[in-house]
Amino acid sequence: MNNSRYLKGPSFYRETDQDIFWGRDEEIQDLYYLVSNSDFSICYARSGEGKSSLINAGLIPLLREKGFLPICIRFTSSNYKEENPDFDNIIGETLDNAINKVGNGSFYKSLYIDISQDEISLCDSIWWKLRVNEIRKDAFTTLTPILIFDQFEEIFTCSENLEWVNKYFAWLENLYNDMNPLDDANIGRLPKKFKVLLSLRSEYVCELDYWSMQRYFIPPLKNNRYYLKALTENSAEKIVNEILSKTKIDNISKEDVLTFSQNDDMERSYADSPCKSALKLSLILDTCYRYGEKINDLVDKKGNVLSLADILDIYYDESTKELSQEQRSKLEDLLVDSNGRRTKVSIVDISAKTKISETQLERLKEKRIITTTNSNDIEIAHDCMCDIVSKHSTERRKILEQERIIAVKNKWFVMIFVLLTICGVSSFLCWHTWGYNEIHENCRTSRSLSIAIKDTLFGWVGLSSLLLYFLPLTAIGIYCRMKKGVREYVKITDILSVLCGTLSVIAVCFLRDTIFCNIIGIPHLSDSMWYSVVPLLLYFSCVLYLWENLNIKRKTLF
């Protein structure tokens, strides 16, 4: 037998695992007593304490043995997107499939009620089917159906809007009420021949109270409740003994496993009181079996056992190691939404959007990272891993945001650089065209080169050349400081850096004139035009280099 069958990691036990589901005998009996004696009941617990395992591998086999027909119901992702969900049809299909799996199971009409033409639609409702009919395994054996809504918190987390939740609880209230939905006195009240069990995380109990007691009225959901607590030391020891005796885990002792599985919020262990985390225990055993070299990582430098979150981090990273960073990121974005809640995705969508092969998906299932739902959708194996995925998503968003900010800053840097360079070159050309002639004329009049340059600088040519550069520079500076969307990206230091760069370009232009012009006082623009081509090419190459190497990409800018 494959040893991994005994080790579930973050996944849960299924009905086929009833022979290896240990340590919850008392809880199974307690929950069975509640369910068998209540029309509507609730099982709730903290995330990771084993609600789904208790129901699937513990309660359901016992219910079948006692003459009940458990019908597990989980809505699909497409159900949650329906604007007008037909709950009678959705649950009716699941009910029919469950009956078909029971040997010769079928509906037998046990009540004969005359209904009018206007009341025919009532016959298709679950309310009618489960009251008027009996489900029989054979001619002598009647089965009592139990509708089990596991992962019930998905009603609140996966539905598209509150209207969907509202319609569901309206349907559930009608199902609970014995008075027929048409309020027809001829039909009257019909007693229930079925039971309902809701299983959800404890943090959503208040949400359930609001909908079942304030918006609608379903009293049993307030009264008939079972709270599943953590494992006791004795139960945890029994589980560890059974697993270690059937698997080849020799790199860790039983005592260490029990120590490591201590609840994060409890310091001491108690033999007969809840103190051991079922999820933590399962993760430690699976980590030791699959990734034995990581055992030393379960203890920090001070010798303290890591928290559940840290152990999950190690397990998750090791299990997804064979995926590329891009594949893992896309898979995480599909399976966990922006609110940190897991979602169901079809296998086709996952293959198309992540490029993960079927072989890789099967390995992820085998490592308990993902699981397949009844509708053949893929979902993350446990809510506990949503925190890890959310942490990764947050880190990716931070990196993307930093890249976007840097890209926008670099975009503004290049734009200002190009604009001021154009202004600087225009200023130079103005001086080149008229400034040298003006210096030449002033020099002949004053007989002093320094006086001629001074007079030209403060004359119309010099002021025009300076204004062509410094007016746009001032305007850019004011705009960058006043415009809210720009101010956060462009700082004064950035403008000063651009200023130094463009002044360097102007200095190169004057150097070119000094080298290539025959007479410094007489411009020869046509003679030196050929020599301008090379500096221009170098300049545009510099701009293109900056644009590419500063990572200015359209997808990061908008």
Side-chain angles (χ1 to χ4, degrees), residues 256-435:
D256 285 341
V257 173
L258 292 174
T259 301
F260 288 1
S261 62
Q262 184 73 14
N263 244 332
D264 291 343
D265 53 1
M266 297 188 72
E267 296 182 358
R268 296 181 56 191
S269 296
Y270 302 92
D272 56 353
S273 296
C275 59
K276 302 296 182 182
S277 168
L279 177 59
K280 202 171 181 181
L281 176 64
S282 181
L283 277 172
I284 289 167
L285 288 168
D286 207 13
T287 302
C288 293
Y289 174 74
R290 297 177 189 276
Y291 316 111
E293 70 281 2
K294 290 293 178 178
I295 292 177
N296 294 331
D297 295 338
L298 298 178
V299 182
D300 63 18
K301 295 179 180 179
K302 297 181 180 179
N304 298 321
V305 181
L306 295 181
S307 66
L308 174 60
D310 294 328
I311 296 174
L312 268 171
D313 227 340
I314 294 172
Y315 185 91
Y316 183 81
D317 287 341
E318 288 298 314
S319 299
T320 57
K321 188 180 288 185
E322 68 176 85
L323 298 180
S324 68
Q325 185 61 44
E326 182 180 5
Q327 285 178 323
R328 193 172 85 164
S329 299
K330 289 181 177 179
L331 182 65
E332 290 175 347
D333 290 340
L334 285 174
L335 296 181
V336 178
D337 64 17
S338 57
N339 295 317
R341 298 165 177 170
R342 60 176 174 174
T343 57
K344 303 183 187 73
V345 186
S346 68
I347 296 178
V348 175
D349 285 345
I350 286 182
S351 300
K353 294 178 181 179
T354 64
K355 307 301 181 185
I356 296 176
S357 65
E358 291 186 10
T359 304
Q360 288 176 309
L361 284 176
E362 287 301 320
R363 281 200 287 269
L364 289 175
K365 290 179 188 177
E366 192 270 331
K367 293 176 180 178
R368 323 296 188 193
I369 296 298
I370 59 175
T371 187
T372 306
T373 65
N374 293 334
S375 57
N376 287 325
D377 288 339
I378 295 292
E379 67 175 355
I380 205 160
H382 198 279
D383 290 322
C384 63
M385 288 190 287
C386 292
D387 293 334
I388 297 175
V389 174
S390 296
K391 183 179 74 173
H392 292 170
S393 299
T394 301
E395 291 171 354
R396 287 198 300 273
R397 283 195 295 269
K398 285 182 179 178
I399 293 172
L400 288 174
E401 181 62 16
Q402 290 172 354
E403 291 178 351
R404 188 191 70 82
I405 290 172
I406 292 172
V408 173
K409 289 182 68 172
N410 293 337
K411 180 196 75 169
W412 279 101
F413 180 87
V414 173
M415 288 172 59
I416 294 172
F417 178 73
V418 171
L419 184 58
L420 288 183
T421 301
I422 293 172
C423 295
V425 172
S426 301
S427 177
F428 162 75
L429 290 176
C430 178
W431 179 265
H432 182 93
T433 304
W434 294 289

Side-chain angles (χ1 to χ4, degrees), residues 5 120 188 542:
R5 177 174 180 253
I120 290 180
C542 176

Side-chain angles (χ1 to χ4, degrees), residues 439-481:
I439 291 174
H440 190 71
E441 293 296 329
N442 289 338
C443 189
R444 283 195 305 176
T445 304
S446 63
R447 301 294 180 178
S448 172
L449 182 59
S450 60
I451 295 174
I453 293 175
K454 183 187 71 172
D455 291 342
T456 305
L457 281 174
F458 290 98
W460 71 271
V461 176
L463 293 175
S464 298
S465 299
L466 291 173
L467 288 174
L468 278 172
Y469 181 75
F470 285 102
L471 271 181
L473 174 64
T474 305
I476 289 172
I478 293 173
Y479 177 81
C480 291
R481 298 313 300 161

Side-chain angles (χ1 to χ4, degrees), residues 19-52:
D19 59 318
I20 60 170
F21 183 63
W22 303 293
R24 290 292 196 181
D25 296 339
E26 185 177 340
E27 289 85 347
I28 293 171
Q29 293 298 327
D30 290 344
L31 183 57
Y32 169 74
Y33 181 82
L34 174 69
V35 172
S36 61
N37 290 282
S38 309
D39 291 335
F40 279 57
S41 51
I42 293 175
C43 174
Y44 68 103
R46 293 169 56 181
S47 178
E49 294 301 346
K51 301 180 300 299
S52 296

Side-chain angles (χ1 to χ4, degrees), residues 145-163:
I146 298 183
L147 307 181
I148 301 175
F149 293 87
D150 194 12
Q151 308 289 337
F152 189 77
E153 64 272 5
E154 291 179 354
I155 298 292
F156 309 115
T157 62
C158 296
S159 53
E160 291 287 301
N161 48 56
L162 288 178
E163 185 58 30

